[in-house]
Amino acid sequence: MRVGVLTGGGDCPGLNAVIRAVVLKGIATHGWEIFGFRNGWRGPLTGEGSWLTRDDVEGILTRGGTILGSSRTNPYKEDGGVDAIKRVLAEKGIDALVAIGGEDTLGVAKRLTDDGVKVVGVPKTIDNDLGATDYTFGFDTAVHIATEAIDRLHTTAESHHRALVVEVMGRHAGWIALHSGMAGGASVVLVPERPFSVDQVIEWVERRFEREYAPIIVVAEGAVPEGGAEVLQAGEKDAFGHVRLGGVGTWLADEIATRTGKESRAVVLGHTQRGGTPTAYDRVLATRFGLHAVDAVAEGDAGVMVALRGTDIVRVKLAEATAELKTVPPERYAEAEAFFG
């Protein structure tokens, strides 16, 4: 049997652990040939990639990023894209695909399944916003990176008696902001799911200054003020219709400085949250996902995504996994809000 594997969308720590698990189990247990497609869905469109051996995946468990490369290519935006993928798979004799990605990559996987291509999905995103799974790999590492940054910023903020606004990733879901803000003891956490009152933020900041502590405000890139709109870094849309967000941290820092008269600075963590070696948790979760994806392929169970439920790895339909984003519920945000100010 021949199986293809690809990594699509934004990179994150743990991708190589999945690739390694698929290759090692596929070869050792089933005697399969594994083809690594390059650069997300662009690989199956063009045929770019190579056959992977055990030697190719030795030593990649601890590496961030992906040895296969990634892209935000959407084959359904390409003329004849689906036919091209079917032709490439037929030419290489590939029987099934393991697609590792987030909502966009797995959305394509679901549509391809409907069009007759056998695909098994693996949930990857630092935003932890995929439905049907408790956690996605990459999230734990991103939270650790953001929390460490917040810990470091506390000391410089206190030294200079200034407010620091830390902008983290999170377009539609504020899981990174919520977890890192709580873990880092932030004064305020702002998430996309709940428009924020600038007046309320100022009140929390001033309350913090009154106690002679420097405030740390953690804000997700997709957070919006009441009656306002997302802050765009660029208006152009990618192949999946997304614009580039960024800048709400700088905007909010300026508002705080103007209204309080206190020095305020913005720190944008950006792609540092995606880089570097994965945590032990993400390495184990990604490896387990890869092993169970191989099981699904071996059993002919296409059109599914492997998911974490409690401590168990289960399979769910791709349609369920991509039906809606998993966002921060009000009760979870309320837990953090009790510490604001």
Side-chain angles (χ1 to χ4, degrees):
M1 187 172 186
R2 290 180 168 183
V3 176
V5 60
L6 63 89
T7 56
D11 69 299
C12 80
L15 285 166
N16 286 324
V18 182
I19 297 168
R20 172 178 176 270
V22 170
V23 171
L24 293 183
K25 186 168 186 176
I27 292 174
T29 302
H30 301 288
W32 293 347
E33 294 178 82
I34 310 294
F35 190 86
F37 282 106
R38 294 283 301 168
N39 302 321
W41 288 114
R42 189 183 305 161
L45 278 171
T46 64
E48 182 183 4
S50 61
W51 297 100
L52 299 175
T53 68
R54 296 175 64 94
D55 289 341
D56 292 319
V57 297
E58 288 293 342
I60 69 171
L61 177 64
T62 62
R63 287 172 55 182
T66 165
I67 63 169
L68 296 179
S70 190
S71 74
R72 296 192 181 277
T73 301
N74 183 350
Y76 284 91
K77 295 292 186 180
E78 305 286 337
D79 290 338
V82 176
D83 290 336
I85 288 177
K86 289 182 177 181
R87 183 172 59 253
V88 167
L89 296 181
E91 289 172 352
K92 296 185 180 301
I94 291 175
D95 303 289
L97 281 172
V98 175
I100 312 165
E103 58 167 322
D104 296 326
T105 301
L106 297 185
V108 170
K110 191 269 179 188
R111 293 184 66 179
L112 283 174
T113 297
D114 295 340
D115 288 331
V117 179
K118 295 180 180 179
V119 188
V120 171
V122 177
K124 172 257 10 167
T125 167
I126 65 171
D127 291 326
N128 197 41
D129 59 0
L130 267 178
T133 184
D134 290 347
Y135 284 98
T136 57
F137 73 86
F139 172 67
D140 186 70
T141 304
V143 169
H144 273 67
I145 292 169
T147 300
E148 182 181 3
I150 294 166
D151 289 345
R152 292 175 180 273
L153 291 170
H154 271 293
T155 59
T156 184
E158 295 291 348
S159 298
H160 293 275
H161 314 292
R162 61 166 64 114
L164 285 179
V165 180
V166 185
E167 182 180 316
V168 300
M169 286 185 169
R171 174 184 298 275
H172 302 299
W175 292 107
I176 295 176
L178 180 70
H179 281 237
S180 64
M182 291 184 72
S187 308
V188 183
V189 177
L190 306 174
V191 297
E193 293 86 344
R194 182 167 176 171
F196 61 89
S197 163
V198 178
D199 291 338
Q200 178 64 78
V201 172
I202 298 301
E203 180 182 328
W204 281 323
V205 167
E206 289 181 328
R207 190 186 308 167
R208 184 78 173 174
F209 274 127
E210 287 171 0
R211 298 202 305 272
E212 298 186 352
Y213 288 100
I216 300 286
I217 300 91
V218 178
V219 57
E221 62 184 347
V224 297
E226 293 177 347
E230 296 171 326
V231 179
L232 304 183
Q233 193 174 86
E236 298 83 6
K237 295 181 178 181
D238 64 17
F240 293 96
H242 300 310
V243 294
R244 288 177 60 192
L245 300 181
V248 65
T250 300
W251 176 85
L252 185 57
D254 290 343
E255 286 290 312
I256 292 171
T258 300
R259 297 196 188 198
T260 66
K262 300 285 189 178
E263 186 179 1
S264 180
R265 302 285 181 85
V267 178
V268 181
L269 297 186
H271 286 76
T272 59
Q273 296 158 90
R274 292 192 181 279
T277 188
T279 60
Y281 180 88
D282 275 341
R283 296 181 204 182
V284 172
L285 180 60
T287 297
R288 294 183 70 199
F289 278 154
L291 296 175
H292 282 264
V294 169
D295 291 341
V297 172
E299 295 170 17
D301 195 6
V304 298
M305 181 189 83
V306 291
L308 181 68
R309 295 283 177 84
T311 58
D312 297 326
I313 305 296
V314 301
R315 299 175 199 166
V316 298
K317 292 295 184 183
L318 281 169
E320 177 187 351
T322 58
E324 60 181 0
L325 291 178
K326 181 179 66 182
T327 55
V328 176
E331 61 271 19
R332 287 295 304 276
Y333 186 74
E335 292 174 352
E337 197 172 20
F339 298 98
F340 291 178

